[in-house]
Amino acid sequence: MAFTFVSLVSLVVAQRAIGVQAPDWKAVGAEATQLLQQYVSIDTSNPPGDTRKTADFLASVFEREGIPVTRYESAPGKAIIYARLKATMTPAAGKAILLLHHMDVVPADRSQWKVDPFAATIVGGEMRARGALDMKGLGVAHLMAFLMLKRQHVPLARDVILLAEPDEEVGGAMGARWMIANHYAELDPEFVLDEGGFGSPDLFTAGKLVYGISVAEKKLLWLKVRATGVAGHGSQPNDQNPNDRLVRALARLLAEPLPGPSASSVASGLMSTMHERVGAFAINKFTNAIQHSTIAVTTIRSGVGDPPKANVIPSVAEATLDCRVLPGTTRDQWLADIRRGLGDPGLEIDVISESDDPIVSPQDTPLYRSLEAAIHRRHPDAVITPILVPYGTDSNAFRPRGVTSYGIFPAPVSADEVASMHGDAEHVRLDAIPEAAQVFFEAIRETATRQSSRAAARD
Ligand SMILES: [Zn+2]
């Protein structure tokens, strides 16, 4: 962790001002490593996504600290953990800040991993394990910030909630969405801090430390494209072979440039801010996906018999397209674009899955400014920008409720670490966890004081 002298002084002054002793962040780091080791050792691969043991683990941490903890179970094996620190200042400055993470992980193909994905292997200062970054590592950063607010008796002008939930990796129906549907009154936050963006020296652009705070997601649209034609013997090709039609149409579609945001859309404002702050983006799959609507051909199915016969022309061929669409483009606009790109009006196109239209969270908030300030104290030269993320997170379930949600792992991680998520070498630098915890701790503490001083000025 690199502190400048000036930032260290301002930190100490800020802490004196509210009568709180500085936490020992080195000790916090050692504790975070221990907790992460225990956490990633519990296999919560989804499916089946059984989170009972991780819920036991987190509950025992809170009980040890004297923090009341509530446990829910949305379905057999789908345990949820909820803990709340109450505001200590009156009047409260606003509704709660919710630290949100998922306990489930994607499955690990052990035959491809060089280490046991659930053995919490530490090599060269890195944790190598499934969930190390997505999302148990970030969950431990939330947890340490939460525990330090309690241990340091930080005056809180708002409640702070920690919610650990199951099921995110399969869409969140039994996790965040279940809590929202069944226990919203217990949550009702103004802000959610979730996964999504990162700080990184090379992910966004080479040689410049950029923190991308996610304020929106792309819209997911899964499509099935179906060509029908005339079956026959492979020795005598006909001109109504559905494979030919499908392949030609997909080739036309994929040859088109990826669409950027439409000029007046909400995404175009976000893109201009990103480009102004970051400059030219590095060329990689992540930066491509945050600047464009994208299409991935994920399945192509055809043939007669199992295994399919090589000498039979089938009557049907199908492909699925995983489309991720920038905010501001509607489902109907996107479908029209796809139809035009395929260039074959005879193809059937069905929507097989669709997420809600994305909502963009505002940046003009005390929490966003406090996150920026806490990051700049550590890295004065860092560029901080709002971004959207190409994948779905649970924030998408909160934003339609009017909740402002930011996705950020607020410590530098490399493009290599980011790319390792869901892969067979997932890893995270261990000292990134306490650094992220410290940013959360300071941002939450400052959001409290900023809000209350404003409220006082109004009174
Ligand atoms: Zn995740």
Side-chain angles (χ1 to χ4, degrees):
M1 254 167 286
F3 284 91
T4 63
F5 176 70
V6 174
S7 63
L8 193 60
V9 167
S10 60
L11 202 65
V12 171
V13 169
Q15 273 153 353
R16 286 223 180 106
I18 52 173
V20 176
Q21 267 223 312
D24 176 353
W25 290 105
K26 213 169 160 220
V28 168
E31 187 178 352
T33 298
Q34 261 187 10
L35 289 171
L36 184 59
Q37 275 183 299
Q38 290 173 273
Y39 203 0
V40 296
S41 301
I42 307 168
D43 182 351
T44 49
S45 297
N46 199 357
D50 188 332
T51 53
R52 284 174 296 190
K53 289 202 176 113
T54 46
D56 293 343
F57 161 68
L58 292 175
S60 72
V61 172
F62 291 125
E63 277 154 17
R64 226 167 34 225
E65 302 284 331
I67 299 171
V69 55
T70 311
R71 186 187 174 113
Y72 302 93
E73 209 153 307
S74 56
K78 306 280 181 184
I80 297 166
I81 284 293
Y82 167 95
R84 187 169 196 127
L85 299 175
K86 289 291 219 178
T88 52
M89 295 155 82
T90 45
K95 294 199 288 184
I97 297 175
L98 171 65
L99 297 165
L100 176 69
H101 83 275
H102 61 86
M103 296 183 279
D104 62 327
V105 295
V106 290
D109 177 357
R110 283 174 190 268
S111 71
Q112 298 300 310
W113 277 72
K114 292 207 176 72
V115 298
D116 180 341
F118 300 102
T121 308
I122 294 175
V123 186
E126 289 178 350
M127 171 69 74
R128 298 197 178 162
R130 170 60 79 231
L133 190 52
D134 183 15
M135 186 182 178
K136 289 169 176 167
L138 182 49
V140 167
H142 284 174
L143 178 64
M144 291 316 302
F146 191 84
L147 296 183
M148 295 317 290
L149 291 169
K150 167 78 164 51
R151 288 182 195 164
Q152 300 292 117
H153 307 287
V154 172
L156 291 174
R158 300 163 177 272
D159 290 9
V160 181
I161 301 168
L162 187 143
L163 184 69
E165 29 91 2
D167 220 39
E168 193 276 342
E169 296 291 3
V170 293
M174 287 294 123
R177 282 167 203 276
W178 185 88
M179 278 301 288
I180 288 170
N182 294 283
H183 296 280
Y184 197 73
E186 284 103 298
L187 305 174
D188 195 23
E190 181 168 347
F191 296 107
V192 166
L193 287 168
D194 190 7
E195 64 184 338
F198 302 91
S200 182
D202 56 352
L203 177 66
F204 298 95
T205 180
K208 196 189 279 182
L209 180 59
V210 176
Y211 281 69
I213 300 179
S214 151
V215 296
E217 288 170 19
K218 290 165 84 179
K219 179 179 176 67
L220 172 155
L221 261 170
W222 289 349
L223 308 180
K224 186 192 274 181
V225 181
R226 183 180 158 99
T228 50
V230 175
H233 198 290
S235 64
Q236 296 148 67
N238 67 51
D239 60 2
Q240 292 179 66
N241 181 337
N243 290 334
D244 296 353
R245 283 184 76 176
L246 184 64
V247 167
R248 288 198 181 109
L250 291 176
R252 279 191 293 270
L253 178 67
L254 296 178
E256 292 208 359
L258 289 172
S262 45
S264 59
S265 72
V266 59
S268 96
L270 192 52
M271 295 294 143
S272 342
T273 308
M274 271 164 46
H275 288 121
E276 271 161 31
R277 298 201 185 157
V278 178
F281 276 91
I283 295 171
N284 59 47
K285 64 182 185 180
F286 182 82
T287 55
N288 178 56
I290 65 175
Q291 296 175 82
H292 303 102
S293 295
T294 58
I295 303 163
V297 179
T298 44
T299 69
I300 298 180
R301 272 182 67 177
S302 178
V304 173
D306 186 18
K309 296 284 286 175
N311 62 350
V312 177
I313 296 169
S315 57
V316 178
E318 288 177 348
T320 54
L321 309 181
D322 182 347
C323 306
R324 307 294 175 121
V325 182
L326 291 171
T329 302
T330 65
R331 160 206 167 112
D332 290 346
Q333 286 166 339
W334 183 252
L335 285 175
D337 278 353
I338 294 287
R339 212 164 258 129
R340 192 183 35 74
L342 290 166
D344 182 344
L347 297 173
E348 285 169 48
I349 304 174
D350 289 318
V351 176
I352 51 178
S353 187
E354 177 183 10
S355 66
D356 298 332
D357 283 344
I359 291 169
V360 181
S361 286
Q363 308 148 46
D364 182 25
T365 67
L367 181 58
Y368 191 96
R369 286 189 289 274
S370 300
L371 280 168
E372 275 186 325
I375 292 164
H376 273 147
R377 272 195 290 276
R378 252 143 230 98
H379 304 286
D381 296 334
V383 171
I384 304 174
T385 180
I387 58 164
L388 55 80
V389 287
Y391 28 74
T393 68
D394 283 329
S395 289
N396 215 26
F398 279 97
R399 290 197 181 106
R401 294 264 182 165
V403 176
T404 295
S405 185
Y406 300 128
I408 180 72
F409 185 98
V413 292
S414 64
D416 177 54
E417 282 165 287
V418 173
S420 76
M421 295 195 307
H422 290 212
D424 47 28
E426 185 172 349
H427 61 284
V428 68
R429 211 167 33 83
L430 281 167
D431 57 9
I433 310 276
E435 179 169 338
Q438 195 170 352
V439 170
F440 288 131
F441 174 84
E442 289 174 18
I444 292 170
R445 185 186 62 192
E446 286 182 21
T447 302
T449 46
R450 275 178 197 220
Q451 283 285 78
S452 58
S453 59
R454 265 195 188 179
R458 271 202 308 272
D459 297 343

